[in-house]
Amino acid sequence: MSITTLADKINDANAKGRTALIPFLPGGYPTKEVFWKEILELDANGADIIEIGMPFSDPVADGPVVEAASMKCLDAGVNLKWIIEGLAEVRPQINAGIVLMGYYNPVLQYGLEKFAKDANAAGVNGLIIADLPFEEGVDFRDLLAENEVALVPLVGLNTEPERMKLYANGGNGFCYFVSVLGTTGDRDSLPEEIKVGLKHAKEIFDIPVALGFGLKHPSQLEQLEGLVDAAVFGSALIRHIDEGKSSAEFMKVWT
Amino acid sequence: MKRGYYGDFGGQFVPELLMPPLLELEEAMGKILKSAEFQQEYTSLLKNFVGRPTALTHCQNLSRELGFNLWLKREDLAHTGAHKINNTVGQALLTKMMGKPKMLAETGAGQHGVATATAAALLDLECDIYMGATDVKRQSHNVRRMELFGAKCIPVHSGTQTLKDAINAALRQWIANQRTTHYCFGTAAGPHPFPLLVREFQSIIGREAKQQFKERTGEMPYMVVACVGGGSNAIGMFHEFVNEKSVKIVGVEAAGTGKPGCTNSAPINLGTPGVLHGMNTLLLQTDDGQILPSHSIAAGLDYPGVGPEHVHLHDTGRAEFGMVNDSQAINAFQMLCQKEGILPALESSHALAWAIENKDIIPKDANVIVNLSGRGDKDMDILDDYLAQHGK
Ligand SMILES: Cc1ncc(COP(=O)(O)O)c(C=O)c1O
């Protein structure tokens, strides 16, 4: 594994003429018992990268679906140790890249150094921290990079090119472009202005650009040809699983 | 470059999507707050609408009983009955001058919600208030007041359904509506520049108190005391005195029932460092970094975090932070009613109770100013419930 694993995964998919697929599930969802089976199923059915949520009591960047799912996991006793240890066990069977996504405080309490080392040892390729903007995160980014883990930058519709450049300089993994001025949760349509933002991101970042928040169907990407290297979907997948359906079936629509 | 630190505490731990409005706010503060237009308008509103300066009352009866001179800074006499209005009138005016038509805010007990709705009505701004569903039920009277002022009060059903979840909901809404909306944060906490902005508007409390006390006695007080929820009334009282080295500064946190291991609202005394609501501060949390529910009989103190500047004042030893439990606060509440004819908020009763409980370590005849941050009409039901439960 290396710091370029995530970019490589996305580039590989793009080389085959596909948008890379990045499903998201909160760690321990829908239950601790079946969670790793779901991950293996996502991996076997076309996921290029899998995002595992690190549940937090106060998820300010999340909409109601992800929040409720995360709370359920917390109630079941999921913590970072459970996720990292479980991942270390199944990682050899997973082909996709692995990203952990969550909030800063649980990682801080785990210990930044210990986290960087343990995450790397468990086969984590990248980390997304929703509440860690450039100014607060740059030191941690360097610490993670020393451990072959990418701190994935998040930008959005209101991120001016000047701020994108801050993230792009030394940024690694992929650029996560947030499709809406809002929280996670699927939406029927994406805002028009998204094209302008994506174009800036594509120009400014050397790493691939993934679009996330608000995605529920591949048709939403049709108008964004050439601007999106990867697609992240979470709420729509959670909802699908809540209806008792399989992740394999969900992935079919996208592959 | 990191911004907004008080020693190791503070900062801006928010989604990138909130950085532009925070930077915009910081820039607007730099331009607008010092302008003659803002200063004139704000000063006039404080005087003619809020009713400032608020009185500084020397409590003759209690002073005799306690053995030191007890003074109260009477924020209970400000419009809407608490210090919260100093901040909301300032932020509403700033919102107006930033050209935004709308404010949103969180509220716990509803005091900040009412004060925000009040300022919004006065300055013709739209206003949405997020309030935990549990609090909506507990404080229906304040919900009604907000609605009378034309604000929309939106119940928050996520998480623990209290203040911390109302802040999460307000932050989410601000992400979505930042172009038209200012987030009128209710206390000296949250991401930079809110701790600074709220201190700016609340420090009138300490400035007035210092001047009034000097006019009356020609001296500096021995000590100033204030209750600490998020920390706005306290920093408002303390700021003017931080550089007056002879003045002791005491913040008072809520210890809940006070039993060992009980749910409390005392992160400086009982919490650990961590990040919540955009700031690095002291928090009530588990070893895994999950935020714990807080408790206090005073709804306005019921918060698992605290403003970063207080943590710094504690770290550097400039201020001392004590704790007062529910029953001590109730005792102080009743005492002030009976001896002085003043009905304090349960929050403010914590500050008063600290002075009462510590009367033996306060020198005889020393002058102690307690910030009476609000009036207690809102707390009558809670008082009655407490007394009924404790068989009094
Ligand atoms: C009367 C009164 N005092 C104190 C507080 C606590 O807030 P802060 O610590 O920001 O002053 C509140 C909060 O609602 C309040 O209503």
Side-chain angles (χ1 to χ4, degrees):
Chain A
M1 306 268 181
S2 83
I3 193 90
T4 65
T5 300
L6 296 174
D8 295 344
K9 294 281 178 198
I10 296 174
N11 291 334
D12 287 351
N14 295 167
K16 290 178 192 140
R18 321 187 269 113
T19 304
L21 299 177
I22 312 184
F24 164 90
L25 264 192
Y29 201 78
T31 64
K32 281 162 90 173
E33 290 68 37
V34 306
F35 174 71
W36 295 110
K37 267 195 287 191
E38 295 285 351
I39 296 297
L40 291 173
E41 193 170 321
L42 288 167
D43 183 56
N45 287 276
D48 297 287
I49 293 170
I50 299 170
E51 254 180 55
I52 298 174
M54 305 179 284
F56 180 48
S57 53
D58 294 80
V60 289
D62 284 302
V65 174
V66 174
E67 178 172 30
S70 303
M71 293 306 144
K72 200 173 149 192
C73 299
L74 282 180
D75 288 344
V78 170
N79 61 13
L80 270 180
K81 186 165 174 282
W82 183 86
I83 294 174
I84 290 174
E85 288 180 1
L87 178 65
E89 261 176 58
V90 300
R91 188 67 178 99
Q93 302 167 57
I94 302 173
N95 188 40
I98 294 286
V99 169
L100 299 186
M101 172 160 189
Y103 295 82
Y104 194 47
N105 197 48
V107 177
L108 193 62
Q109 302 309 322
Y110 190 94
L112 299 182
E113 259 202 79
K114 180 170 157 53
F115 180 89
K117 289 208 164 61
D118 291 357
N120 181 34
V124 173
N125 307 112
L127 181 66
I128 302 174
I129 303 281
D131 56 352
L132 198 65
F134 176 80
E135 288 83 347
E136 299 290 354
V138 68
D139 294 343
F140 189 37
R141 178 180 81 179
D142 295 343
L143 173 66
L144 286 167
E146 284 168 28
N147 292 277
E148 310 286 340
V149 177
L151 182 64
V152 172
L154 278 167
V155 300
L157 294 171
N158 62 347
T159 313
E160 296 295 329
E162 284 315 306
R163 276 194 75 78
M164 282 193 195
K165 283 178 195 160
L166 287 178
Y167 285 104
N169 182 15
N172 42 47
F174 58 89
C175 161
Y176 191 130
F177 194 96
V178 177
S179 69
V180 289
L181 264 189
T183 51
T184 55
D186 46 7
R187 285 147 174 97
D188 289 323
S189 64
L190 298 177
E192 242 331 281
E193 59 193 307
I194 200 169
K195 284 186 194 164
V196 181
L198 280 171
K199 256 177 89 173
H200 284 146
K202 288 288 288 175
E203 277 162 22
I204 291 167
F205 285 91
D206 300 331
I207 48 181
V209 175
L211 187 67
F213 285 40
L215 297 186
K216 68 190 262 196
H217 197 270
S219 62
Q220 287 169 303
L221 299 178
E222 278 163 17
Q223 35 157 358
L224 304 172
E225 271 294 335
L227 293 174
V228 175
D229 304 314
V232 187
F233 33 84
S235 296
L237 173 60
I238 291 171
R239 223 192 283 273
H240 178 92
I241 289 177
D242 285 347
E243 287 164 10
K245 299 186 223 159
S246 76
S247 335
E249 195 184 325
F250 183 87
M251 293 299 290
K252 266 201 200 102
V253 185
W254 288 85
T255 45
Chain B
M1 205 190 60
K2 294 188 185 193
R3 287 182 200 79
Y5 273 80
Y6 304 86
D8 291 336
F9 298 93
Q12 291 180 300
F13 296 86
V14 294
E16 171 57 34
L17 302 196
L18 276 179
M19 287 303 291
L22 288 175
L23 292 167
E24 180 193 11
L25 177 59
E26 190 176 357
E27 196 188 317
M29 283 165 60
K31 277 199 201 124
I32 296 171
L33 295 191
K34 284 185 194 68
S35 72
E37 190 193 355
F38 181 92
Q39 281 300 328
Q40 248 168 28
E41 186 86 0
Y42 183 52
T43 309
S44 159
L45 285 173
L46 286 182
K47 178 162 183 248
N48 305 312
F49 182 69
V50 175
R52 302 206 72 89
T54 59
L56 181 70
T57 302
H58 184 205
C59 297
Q60 311 272 356
N61 302 325
L62 271 179
S63 293
R64 228 175 292 130
E65 193 164 320
L66 296 169
F68 61 85
N69 281 306
L70 175 68
W71 301 75
L72 300 177
K73 180 60 177 159
R74 300 289 305 281
E75 293 302 295
D76 60 314
L77 298 177
H79 182 39
T80 71
H83 69 292
K84 298 282 176 189
I85 192 84
N86 303 326
N87 174 41
T88 59
V89 164
Q91 290 204 43
L93 198 57
L94 181 62
T95 304
K96 200 92 188 161
M97 292 191 177
M98 286 173 79
K100 300 201 175 197
K102 181 166 176 176
M103 289 198 291
L104 63 83
E106 83 294 345
T107 195
Q111 291 304 104
H112 175 59
V114 168
T116 306
T118 302
L122 177 73
L123 295 174
D124 191 23
L125 295 162
E126 267 182 82
C127 183
D128 284 354
I129 306 291
Y130 291 84
M131 188 168 182
T134 308
D135 291 333
V136 169
K137 272 189 232 123
R138 283 198 289 208
Q139 313 281 338
S140 56
H141 184 70
N142 273 340
V143 173
R144 187 79 190 100
R145 285 168 79 193
M146 290 177 232
E147 286 168 353
L148 280 171
F149 291 132
K152 206 156 68 179
C153 182
I154 300 143
V156 176
H157 294 280
S158 58
T160 57
Q161 313 198 358
T162 59
L163 176 60
K164 83 178 175 68
D165 307 284
I167 294 177
N168 294 337
L171 285 168
R172 288 178 185 131
Q173 287 304 316
W174 200 31
I175 294 178
N177 300 299
Q178 53 187 264
R179 286 168 185 158
T180 55
T181 306
H182 171 67
Y183 182 3
C184 181
F185 207 85
T187 188
H192 175 71
F194 285 116
L196 185 66
L197 178 63
V198 175
R199 185 185 79 192
E200 185 79 19
F201 292 137
Q202 292 294 3
S203 52
I204 181 93
I205 299 173
R207 277 202 305 282
E208 281 179 9
K210 188 171 157 189
Q211 196 192 342
Q212 290 166 320
F213 189 75
K214 204 160 185 186
E215 280 166 10
R216 303 265 283 278
T217 67
E219 291 175 38
M220 254 330 150
Y222 169 75
M223 177 185 274
V224 293
V225 185
C227 67
V228 180
S232 70
N233 88 87
I235 207 67
M237 175 55 91
F238 298 167
H239 186 58
E240 186 68 16
F241 292 103
V242 166
N243 291 326
E244 302 290 352
K245 297 290 184 228
S246 69
V247 179
K248 291 189 191 308
I249 297 178
V250 178
V252 184
E253 295 193 303
T257 62
K259 303 212 168 77
C262 74
T263 326
N264 60 78
S265 301
I268 296 181
N269 281 282
L270 303 171
T272 52
V275 167
L276 177 72
H277 294 149
M279 58 181 166
N280 185 24
T281 185
L282 290 170
L283 298 173
L284 305 177
Q285 60 180 328
T286 67
D287 291 344
D288 288 337
Q290 307 298 341
I291 308 308
L292 288 168
S294 52
H295 168 76
S296 167
I297 194 166
L301 302 181
D302 196 338
Y303 180 58
V306 61
E309 191 169 2
H310 289 293
V311 181
H312 182 57
L313 289 173
H314 175 254
D315 262 18
T316 55
R318 179 62 191 94
E320 175 190 338
F321 289 82
M323 283 194 286
V324 155
N325 66 32
D326 293 348
S327 109
Q328 293 167 327
I330 293 278
N331 177 47
F333 180 101
Q334 292 174 312
M335 233 169 135
L336 195 66
C337 290
Q338 286 158 15
K339 305 277 166 164
E340 301 289 341
I342 297 171
L343 174 67
L346 279 172
E347 292 79 6
S348 326
S349 301
H350 281 71
L352 182 64
W354 187 91
I356 294 171
E357 299 292 328
N358 289 279
K359 63 178 194 291
D360 294 338
I361 60 165
I362 296 171
K364 192 169 155 36
D365 297 331
N367 291 301
V368 174
I369 303 181
V370 169
N371 193 25
L372 203 76
S373 55
R375 68 172 189 234
D377 309 51
K378 68 183 178 64
D379 295 322
M380 297 309 296
D381 292 346
I382 298 173
L383 176 76
D384 291 346
D385 283 353
Y386 183 90
L387 296 180
Q389 268 175 30
H390 292 76
K392 288 179 192 160

